[in-house]
Amino acid sequence: DMRAAIAAAQAAQAMDTDLTEAAVIELRARAVLGEYDAAISAARALGDRLDEENAFLVADLLVAADRHDEARRELDRLSAKPETRLGAERRLVGLAIEEGNLDAAQARLEPLLGERGGAAIALYYLAQVYEQRGDTTRALQSYRLLADSSFGMQARVAAARLLLKNGQPEQALALL
């Protein structure tokens, strides 16, 4: 119940006005209810109070509100900071994939493949790009490379789905 979440967050903020986490919960709940403008405005007002974990709040709310151009500008700003660059790039890739701009997604992913902390997620998204382009061979290769990574379960499920789609149920079951 989002209204209950908002009420609880407001009660927590009434007890401690510096409780940023409560404000974040309230704003995300408001976005779920479709109160995007109010949530975005309040998130922007939080400004420097947002820590690294919540640095993407404004961008996430903009994406939820389908204000992709504004979200892209916010994410570009965040990608210029070393501490938020990978998260911003990941969100920019997701936005490009969502919009069907696979070339832009691939262009953002390829430099991340060689980066510590970014390679697995880049390979996972790249596999999705290959899949959407109909390049099943490269998609499966990418998913298989991720089998023992932190994306292993998602990659195995995605590869199994592709194999089932291509009439290879035995191979699909072997992955699961």
Side-chain angles (χ1 to χ4, degrees), residues 112-132:
L112 296 176
L113 286 172
E115 283 196 33
R116 183 181 179 122
I121 195 160
L123 189 57
Y124 182 73
Y125 277 123
L126 204 50
Q128 290 181 338
V129 168
Y130 293 144
E131 186 176 343
Q132 287 188 25

PDB file of all heavy atoms in Angstrom, residues 112-132:
ATOM      1  N   LEU A 112      32.668  -0.483 -21.547  1.00  0.00           N
ATOM      2  CA  LEU A 112      32.512  -1.015 -20.195  1.00  0.00           C
ATOM      3  C   LEU A 112      33.011  -2.453 -20.067  1.00  0.00           C
ATOM      4  O   LEU A 112      33.261  -2.924 -18.959  1.00  0.00           O
ATOM      5  CB  LEU A 112      31.043  -0.955 -19.758  1.00  0.00           C
ATOM      6  CG  LEU A 112      30.428   0.426 -19.632  1.00  0.00           C
ATOM      7  CD1 LEU A 112      28.949   0.315 -19.280  1.00  0.00           C
ATOM      8  CD2 LEU A 112      31.160   1.247 -18.597  1.00  0.00           C
ATOM      9  N   LEU A 113      33.155  -3.147 -21.193  1.00  0.00           N
ATOM     10  CA  LEU A 113      33.565  -4.553 -21.141  1.00  0.00           C
ATOM     11  C   LEU A 113      34.927  -4.744 -20.484  1.00  0.00           C
ATOM     12  O   LEU A 113      35.159  -5.759 -19.844  1.00  0.00           O
ATOM     13  CB  LEU A 113      33.575  -5.161 -22.546  1.00  0.00           C
ATOM     14  CG  LEU A 113      32.201  -5.445 -23.133  1.00  0.00           C
ATOM     15  CD1 LEU A 113      32.326  -5.847 -24.596  1.00  0.00           C
ATOM     16  CD2 LEU A 113      31.473  -6.507 -22.338  1.00  0.00           C
ATOM     17  N   GLY A 114      35.811  -3.785 -20.635  1.00  0.00           N
ATOM     18  CA  GLY A 114      37.140  -3.920 -20.063  1.00  0.00           C
ATOM     19  C   GLY A 114      37.295  -3.304 -18.694  1.00  0.00           C
ATOM     20  O   GLY A 114      38.385  -3.298 -18.142  1.00  0.00           O
ATOM     21  N   GLU A 115      36.221  -2.796 -18.137  1.00  0.00           N
ATOM     22  CA  GLU A 115      36.307  -2.102 -16.851  1.00  0.00           C
ATOM     23  C   GLU A 115      35.978  -3.002 -15.680  1.00  0.00           C
ATOM     24  O   GLU A 115      35.021  -3.774 -15.725  1.00  0.00           O
ATOM     25  CB  GLU A 115      35.334  -0.918 -16.828  1.00  0.00           C
ATOM     26  CG  GLU A 115      35.842   0.247 -17.603  1.00  0.00           C
ATOM     27  CD  GLU A 115      35.091   1.507 -17.250  1.00  0.00           C
ATOM     28  OE1 GLU A 115      34.667   1.650 -16.096  1.00  0.00           O
ATOM     29  OE2 GLU A 115      34.948   2.337 -18.148  1.00  0.00           O
ATOM     30  N   ARG A 116      36.757  -2.855 -14.655  1.00  0.00           N
ATOM     31  CA  ARG A 116      36.490  -3.590 -13.412  1.00  0.00           C
ATOM     32  C   ARG A 116      35.145  -3.129 -12.851  1.00  0.00           C
ATOM     33  O   ARG A 116      34.885  -1.937 -12.715  1.00  0.00           O
ATOM     34  CB  ARG A 116      37.610  -3.309 -12.422  1.00  0.00           C
ATOM     35  CG  ARG A 116      37.462  -4.071 -11.153  1.00  0.00           C
ATOM     36  CD  ARG A 116      38.585  -3.727 -10.196  1.00  0.00           C
ATOM     37  NE  ARG A 116      38.393  -4.466  -8.983  1.00  0.00           N
ATOM     38  CZ  ARG A 116      39.274  -5.293  -8.483  1.00  0.00           C
ATOM     39  NH1 ARG A 116      40.430  -5.457  -9.079  1.00  0.00           N
ATOM     40  NH2 ARG A 116      39.019  -5.949  -7.383  1.00  0.00           N
ATOM     41  N   GLY A 117      34.316  -4.062 -12.535  1.00  0.00           N
ATOM     42  CA  GLY A 117      33.018  -3.746 -11.978  1.00  0.00           C
ATOM     43  C   GLY A 117      31.947  -3.492 -13.023  1.00  0.00           C
ATOM     44  O   GLY A 117      30.775  -3.425 -12.695  1.00  0.00           O
ATOM     45  N   GLY A 118      32.331  -3.372 -14.274  1.00  0.00           N
ATOM     46  CA  GLY A 118      31.350  -3.091 -15.311  1.00  0.00           C
ATOM     47  C   GLY A 118      31.242  -4.160 -16.370  1.00  0.00           C
ATOM     48  O   GLY A 118      30.295  -4.171 -17.152  1.00  0.00           O
ATOM     49  N   ALA A 119      32.197  -5.083 -16.401  1.00  0.00           N
ATOM     50  CA  ALA A 119      32.251  -6.058 -17.490  1.00  0.00           C
ATOM     51  C   ALA A 119      31.051  -6.999 -17.506  1.00  0.00           C
ATOM     52  O   ALA A 119      30.456  -7.225 -18.560  1.00  0.00           O
ATOM     53  CB  ALA A 119      33.551  -6.856 -17.418  1.00  0.00           C
ATOM     54  N   ALA A 120      30.681  -7.547 -16.364  1.00  0.00           N
ATOM     55  CA  ALA A 120      29.586  -8.519 -16.340  1.00  0.00           C
ATOM     56  C   ALA A 120      28.267  -7.884 -16.754  1.00  0.00           C
ATOM     57  O   ALA A 120      27.539  -8.437 -17.584  1.00  0.00           O
ATOM     58  CB  ALA A 120      29.463  -9.157 -14.962  1.00  0.00           C
ATOM     59  N   ILE A 121      27.971  -6.728 -16.201  1.00  0.00           N
ATOM     60  CA  ILE A 121      26.707  -6.085 -16.557  1.00  0.00           C
ATOM     61  C   ILE A 121      26.716  -5.641 -18.018  1.00  0.00           C
ATOM     62  O   ILE A 121      25.710  -5.739 -18.709  1.00  0.00           O
ATOM     63  CB  ILE A 121      26.352  -4.927 -15.602  1.00  0.00           C
ATOM     64  CG1 ILE A 121      24.892  -4.563 -15.781  1.00  0.00           C
ATOM     65  CG2 ILE A 121      27.248  -3.728 -15.788  1.00  0.00           C
ATOM     66  CD1 ILE A 121      24.302  -3.803 -14.639  1.00  0.00           C
ATOM     67  N   ALA A 122      27.872  -5.196 -18.502  1.00  0.00           N
ATOM     68  CA  ALA A 122      27.974  -4.800 -19.908  1.00  0.00           C
ATOM     69  C   ALA A 122      27.736  -6.004 -20.814  1.00  0.00           C
ATOM     70  O   ALA A 122      27.013  -5.906 -21.807  1.00  0.00           O
ATOM     71  CB  ALA A 122      29.341  -4.184 -20.185  1.00  0.00           C
ATOM     72  N   LEU A 123      28.321  -7.133 -20.472  1.00  0.00           N
ATOM     73  CA  LEU A 123      28.143  -8.338 -21.277  1.00  0.00           C
ATOM     74  C   LEU A 123      26.689  -8.810 -21.244  1.00  0.00           C
ATOM     75  O   LEU A 123      26.146  -9.244 -22.258  1.00  0.00           O
ATOM     76  CB  LEU A 123      29.079  -9.442 -20.789  1.00  0.00           C
ATOM     77  CG  LEU A 123      29.165 -10.691 -21.646  1.00  0.00           C
ATOM     78  CD1 LEU A 123      29.591 -10.360 -23.084  1.00  0.00           C
ATOM     79  CD2 LEU A 123      30.144 -11.678 -21.034  1.00  0.00           C
ATOM     80  N   TYR A 124      26.040  -8.695 -20.089  1.00  0.00           N
ATOM     81  CA  TYR A 124      24.634  -9.085 -19.975  1.00  0.00           C
ATOM     82  C   TYR A 124      23.755  -8.215 -20.882  1.00  0.00           C
ATOM     83  O   TYR A 124      22.927  -8.716 -21.630  1.00  0.00           O
ATOM     84  CB  TYR A 124      24.177  -8.996 -18.524  1.00  0.00           C
ATOM     85  CG  TYR A 124      22.743  -9.421 -18.323  1.00  0.00           C
ATOM     86  CD1 TYR A 124      22.390 -10.760 -18.394  1.00  0.00           C
ATOM     87  CD2 TYR A 124      21.754  -8.488 -18.072  1.00  0.00           C
ATOM     88  CE1 TYR A 124      21.076 -11.154 -18.230  1.00  0.00           C
ATOM     89  CE2 TYR A 124      20.436  -8.881 -17.903  1.00  0.00           C
ATOM     90  CZ  TYR A 124      20.103 -10.212 -17.981  1.00  0.00           C
ATOM     91  OH  TYR A 124      18.800 -10.598 -17.820  1.00  0.00           O
ATOM     92  N   TYR A 125      23.946  -6.915 -20.809  1.00  0.00           N
ATOM     93  CA  TYR A 125      23.165  -6.017 -21.660  1.00  0.00           C
ATOM     94  C   TYR A 125      23.518  -6.212 -23.135  1.00  0.00           C
ATOM     95  O   TYR A 125      22.653  -6.136 -24.010  1.00  0.00           O
ATOM     96  CB  TYR A 125      23.381  -4.554 -21.264  1.00  0.00           C
ATOM     97  CG  TYR A 125      22.525  -4.096 -20.110  1.00  0.00           C
ATOM     98  CD1 TYR A 125      23.109  -3.571 -18.966  1.00  0.00           C
ATOM     99  CD2 TYR A 125      21.145  -4.152 -20.162  1.00  0.00           C
ATOM    100  CE1 TYR A 125      22.338  -3.129 -17.903  1.00  0.00           C
ATOM    101  CE2 TYR A 125      20.368  -3.716 -19.109  1.00  0.00           C
ATOM    102  CZ  TYR A 125      20.968  -3.201 -17.983  1.00  0.00           C
ATOM    103  OH  TYR A 125      20.191  -2.761 -16.938  1.00  0.00           O
ATOM    104  N   LEU A 126      24.781  -6.466 -23.427  1.00  0.00           N
ATOM    105  CA  LEU A 126      25.190  -6.706 -24.807  1.00  0.00           C
ATOM    106  C   LEU A 126      24.502  -7.963 -25.342  1.00  0.00           C
ATOM    107  O   LEU A 126      24.061  -7.990 -26.499  1.00  0.00           O
ATOM    108  CB  LEU A 126      26.710  -6.839 -24.881  1.00  0.00           C
ATOM    109  CG  LEU A 126      27.383  -6.532 -26.197  1.00  0.00           C
ATOM    110  CD1 LEU A 126      26.957  -5.202 -26.775  1.00  0.00           C
ATOM    111  CD2 LEU A 126      28.894  -6.556 -26.025  1.00  0.00           C
ATOM    112  N   ALA A 127      24.386  -8.983 -24.511  1.00  0.00           N
ATOM    113  CA  ALA A 127      23.662 -10.193 -24.915  1.00  0.00           C
ATOM    114  C   ALA A 127      22.209  -9.856 -25.250  1.00  0.00           C
ATOM    115  O   ALA A 127      21.652 -10.378 -26.234  1.00  0.00           O
ATOM    116  CB  ALA A 127      23.728 -11.236 -23.803  1.00  0.00           C
ATOM    117  N   GLN A 128      21.604  -8.972 -24.476  1.00  0.00           N
ATOM    118  CA  GLN A 128      20.228  -8.558 -24.759  1.00  0.00           C
ATOM    119  C   GLN A 128      20.136  -7.802 -26.086  1.00  0.00           C
ATOM    120  O   GLN A 128      19.177  -7.972 -26.839  1.00  0.00           O
ATOM    121  CB  GLN A 128      19.688  -7.703 -23.616  1.00  0.00           C
ATOM    122  CG  GLN A 128      19.455  -8.488 -22.356  1.00  0.00           C
ATOM    123  CD  GLN A 128      18.895  -7.631 -21.242  1.00  0.00           C
ATOM    124  OE1 GLN A 128      19.022  -6.413 -21.223  1.00  0.00           O
ATOM    125  NE2 GLN A 128      18.266  -8.281 -20.281  1.00  0.00           N
ATOM    126  N   VAL A 129      21.137  -6.968 -26.347  1.00  0.00           N
ATOM    127  CA  VAL A 129      21.169  -6.248 -27.630  1.00  0.00           C
ATOM    128  C   VAL A 129      21.268  -7.249 -28.778  1.00  0.00           C
ATOM    129  O   VAL A 129      20.530  -7.153 -29.762  1.00  0.00           O
ATOM    130  CB  VAL A 129      22.338  -5.232 -27.666  1.00  0.00           C
ATOM    131  CG1 VAL A 129      22.564  -4.694 -29.067  1.00  0.00           C
ATOM    132  CG2 VAL A 129      22.068  -4.088 -26.689  1.00  0.00           C
ATOM    133  N   TYR A 130      22.188  -8.210 -28.670  1.00  0.00           N
ATOM    134  CA  TYR A 130      22.318  -9.236 -29.717  1.00  0.00           C
ATOM    135  C   TYR A 130      21.007  -9.989 -29.895  1.00  0.00           C
ATOM    136  O   TYR A 130      20.583 -10.259 -31.015  1.00  0.00           O
ATOM    137  CB  TYR A 130      23.426 -10.231 -29.371  1.00  0.00           C
ATOM    138  CG  TYR A 130      24.823  -9.664 -29.363  1.00  0.00           C
ATOM    139  CD1 TYR A 130      25.755 -10.120 -28.435  1.00  0.00           C
ATOM    140  CD2 TYR A 130      25.230  -8.687 -30.263  1.00  0.00           C
ATOM    141  CE1 TYR A 130      27.044  -9.621 -28.413  1.00  0.00           C
ATOM    142  CE2 TYR A 130      26.514  -8.178 -30.249  1.00  0.00           C
ATOM    143  CZ  TYR A 130      27.418  -8.649 -29.324  1.00  0.00           C
ATOM    144  OH  TYR A 130      28.695  -8.158 -29.298  1.00  0.00           O
ATOM    145  N   GLU A 131      20.379 -10.320 -28.787  1.00  0.00           N
ATOM    146  CA  GLU A 131      19.114 -11.055 -28.852  1.00  0.00           C
ATOM    147  C   GLU A 131      18.054 -10.241 -29.588  1.00  0.00           C
ATOM    148  O   GLU A 131      17.344 -10.762 -30.448  1.00  0.00           O
ATOM    149  CB  GLU A 131      18.658 -11.389 -27.429  1.00  0.00           C
ATOM    150  CG  GLU A 131      17.440 -12.266 -27.370  1.00  0.00           C
ATOM    151  CD  GLU A 131      17.070 -12.659 -25.953  1.00  0.00           C
ATOM    152  OE1 GLU A 131      17.901 -12.543 -25.029  1.00  0.00           O
ATOM    153  OE2 GLU A 131      15.917 -13.093 -25.769  1.00  0.00           O
ATOM    154  N   GLN A 132      17.943  -8.955 -29.256  1.00  0.00           N
ATOM    155  CA  GLN A 132      16.937  -8.116 -29.912  1.00  0.00           C
ATOM    156  C   GLN A 132      17.235  -7.918 -31.392  1.00  0.00           C
ATOM    157  O   GLN A 132      16.322  -7.708 -32.186  1.00  0.00           O
ATOM    158  CB  GLN A 132      16.826  -6.769 -29.201  1.00  0.00           C
ATOM    159  CG  GLN A 132      16.132  -6.902 -27.868  1.00  0.00           C
ATOM    160  CD  GLN A 132      15.843  -5.561 -27.234  1.00  0.00           C
ATOM    161  OE1 GLN A 132      15.725  -4.547 -27.910  1.00  0.00           O
ATOM    162  NE2 GLN A 132      15.709  -5.553 -25.924  1.00  0.00           N
TER     163      GLN A 132
END
